[in-house]
């Protein structure tokens, strides 16, 4: 069966991504409340008890809102950095198996998964490098800068899901308080459309097939601007480009 990737939610309110290959179904972040999570999983044709594991990027609420309810029902194994596991400790029932990711590659069914440290204002935030069949998948949202290890992972990817959080002009001229604007644009905040496009420009011509722009700000971005910046960066690469929005689920992708 092909590799399937379903964006159940993406943005500053909630984040959850489902990655499926054969009978292994991994959830990356559990930011939807349990009711919305179950209905989003349903839309993807998956029941909560069919999930194989939960991987967390970091402990911010938009990534873990539904975690404890989901684990109460399923007792899924949880994977993340030591710092993130520590930060969500009280949300995890004692029966759940925890795996602290260091720099080692961990096998989950057909997925070979490695955590990559990213700079963001959380305990120990990570993105994920995932190899499965002929695919190399890199998923990173919530980061203020692209560290070398992540850039290296992106360059070798066939599939990329990367944050394109804000348009710098909209952020600077928007209604957010100065301190919040500074937090967002700091190296420990979020990537701008320009930063994302610059990272993607390095990935042309290396087998990259699909890109999903994620975690767009409702206030400080316009999906058309995010798309335009990255489309220019990827011009001629032949990679398909998708843009998530906060209000709608998707895309639902079959990666051959
Ligand atoms: Zn977030
Ligand atoms: Zn965050």
């Amino acid at each position: 069966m092909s590799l399937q990737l379903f964006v159940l939610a993406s943005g500053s309110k909630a984040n959850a991504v489902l990655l499926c290959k054969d009978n292994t179904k991994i959830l990356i972040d559990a930011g939807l409340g349990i009711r919305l999570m179950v209905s989003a999983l349903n839309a993807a044709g998956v029941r909560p008890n069919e999930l194989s594991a939960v991987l967390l990027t970091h402990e911010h609420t938009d990534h873990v809102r539904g975690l404890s309810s989901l684990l109460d029902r399923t007792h899924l194994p949880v994977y993340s950095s030591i710092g993130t596991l520590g930060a969500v400790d009280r949300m995890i029932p004692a029966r759940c198996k925890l795996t602290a990711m260091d720099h080692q590659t961990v096998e989950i069914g057909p997925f070979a998964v490695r955590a990559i440290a990213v700079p963001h204002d959380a305990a120990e935030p990570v993105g994920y490098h995932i190899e499965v069949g002929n695919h190399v998948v890199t998923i990173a949202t919530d980061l203020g800068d692209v560290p070398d290890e992540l850039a290296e992972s992106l360059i070798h990817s066939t599939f990329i899901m990367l944050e394109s959080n804000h348009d710098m002009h909209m952020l600077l001229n928007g209604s957010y308080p100065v301190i919040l604007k500074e937090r967002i644009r700091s190296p420990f905040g979020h990537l701008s459309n320009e930063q994302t496009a610059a990272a993607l420009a390095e990935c042309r011509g290396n087998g990259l097939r699909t890109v999903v722009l994620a975690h767009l700000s409702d206030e400080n971005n316009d999906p058309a601007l995010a798309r335009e910046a990255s489309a220019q960066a990827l011009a001629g690469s032949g990679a398909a480009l998708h843009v998530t929005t906060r209000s709608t689920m998707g895309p639902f992708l079959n990666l051959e």
Side-chain angles (χ1 to χ4, degrees):
M1 200 174 92
S2 63
L3 176 66
Q4 296 175 307
L5 182 132
F6 304 118
V7 178
L8 305 181
S10 183
S12 51
K13 283 279 183 285
N15 295 275
V17 176
L18 183 63
L19 200 55
C20 304
K21 172 81 176 164
D22 305 327
N23 289 326
T24 306
K25 303 172 195 309
I26 60 178
L27 186 68
I28 301 172
D29 287 335
L32 283 166
I34 190 66
R35 241 189 258 174
L36 286 173
M37 178 92 77
V38 171
S39 71
L41 285 169
N42 244 325
V46 174
R47 289 191 301 275
N49 61 9
E50 292 178 296
L51 292 171
S52 313
V54 183
L55 276 61
L56 300 175
T57 59
H58 65 302
E59 72 278 18
H60 286 162
T61 308
D62 55 316
H63 299 260
V64 299
R65 182 178 288 105
L67 182 65
S68 83
S69 306
L70 182 69
L71 296 179
D72 279 342
R73 292 171 183 218
T74 58
H75 300 107
L76 288 166
V78 183
Y79 297 75
S80 193
S81 62
I82 293 173
T84 301
L85 290 177
V88 298
D89 189 44
R90 69 199 151 71
M91 300 180 192
I92 301 179
R95 274 175 60 186
C96 294
K97 180 174 184 279
L98 305 183
T99 302
M101 316 270 289
D102 209 340
H103 289 284
Q104 85 281 28
T105 296
V106 172
E107 312 267 330
I108 308 172
F111 299 101
V113 181
R114 182 164 53 86
I116 298 175
V118 294
H120 186 60
D121 54 359
E124 193 182 358
V126 293
Y128 288 101
H129 173 95
I130 301 169
E131 299 191 15
V132 51
N134 298 324
H135 280 284
V136 179
V137 177
T138 303
I139 296 180
T141 64
D142 299 68
L143 62 167
D145 197 7
V146 178
D148 289 347
E149 190 186 356
L150 180 64
E152 189 66 22
S153 173
L154 291 171
I155 284 170
H156 294 103
S157 292
T158 55
F159 176 90
I160 292 172
M161 179 166 164
L162 186 61
E163 156 169 275
S164 190
N165 179 258
H166 57 276
D167 172 76
M168 192 57 84
H169 183 78
M170 286 177 73
L171 175 67
L172 294 178
N173 293 288
S175 62
Y176 279 14
V178 171
I179 190 155
L180 186 52
K181 290 181 182 179
E182 288 305 317
R183 194 215 126 206
I184 291 170
R185 61 191 287 235
S186 85
F188 294 91
H190 291 277
L191 292 182
S192 68
N193 294 340
E194 295 74 15
Q195 285 174 291
T196 302
L200 293 175
E202 303 294 322
C203 306
R204 280 184 301 208
N206 289 313
L208 178 62
R209 287 192 248 165
T210 311
V211 174
V212 172
L213 301 180
H215 214 295
L216 272 71
S217 167
D218 246 20
E219 277 280 320
N220 304 309
N221 210 350
D222 175 338
L225 292 174
R227 176 182 286 280
E228 188 187 320
S230 286
Q232 269 182 22
L234 293 168
S237 71
L241 181 63
H242 301 266
V243 184
T244 62
T245 61
R246 200 171 87 173
S247 50
T248 50
M249 219 186 286
F252 281 19
L253 301 170
N254 273 302
L255 308 169
E256 291 305 327

